[in-house]
Amino acid sequence: MTFRILFCMLLLPLGSVHAQGAPAPQAANPAAPVSAVSYRSVFADLPTGVEAGREDWKKANADVGRFTRGHVDILKSEQQQAAPAAPAATPDTAPPAAAHPHTH
């Protein structure tokens, strides 16, 4: 039985050498054949036509400059533009949340 194991161990490396086939091209060889490189832009799949029009950058910069406190002012401005004019307060409205009858 030892002879069979020894025989198999000797033949195993020979089988792996045969399975490797032809050697791969060498990267350092300037004459090695190289496949053609195809170019495809990374922006090819992006949607087009997102901007409706172009705005003058100086005007846009001046518009943003109006908001001296930054993002807080921009949010308040957007809320004022989106909210319709508030109707006049009537006496039927509920009291403010701070004035509740519970004692703590």
Side-chain angles (χ1 to χ4, degrees), residues 55-92:
E55 188 174 345
D56 179 30
W57 68 268
K58 289 181 182 179
K59 180 184 177 304
N61 197 20
D63 290 345
V64 172
R66 292 184 299 129
F67 305 112
T68 57
R69 294 185 310 162
H71 193 248
V72 174
D73 285 346
I74 294 172
L75 290 176
K76 284 185 179 181
S77 173
E78 289 174 350
Q79 288 172 352
Q80 290 173 354
Q81 291 174 0
T90 60
D92 296 341

Side-chain angles (χ1 to χ4, degrees), residues 38-47:
S38 62
Y39 170 77
R40 185 171 187 279
S41 174
V42 295
F43 302 110
D45 295 331
L46 291 179

Side-chain angles (χ1 to χ4, degrees), residues 13-47:
L14 294 176
S16 64
V17 169
H18 178 63
Q20 288 180 358
Q26 297 294 324
N29 183 2
V34 180
S35 60
V37 178
S38 62
Y39 170 77
R40 185 171 187 279
S41 174
V42 295
F43 302 110
D45 295 331
L46 291 179

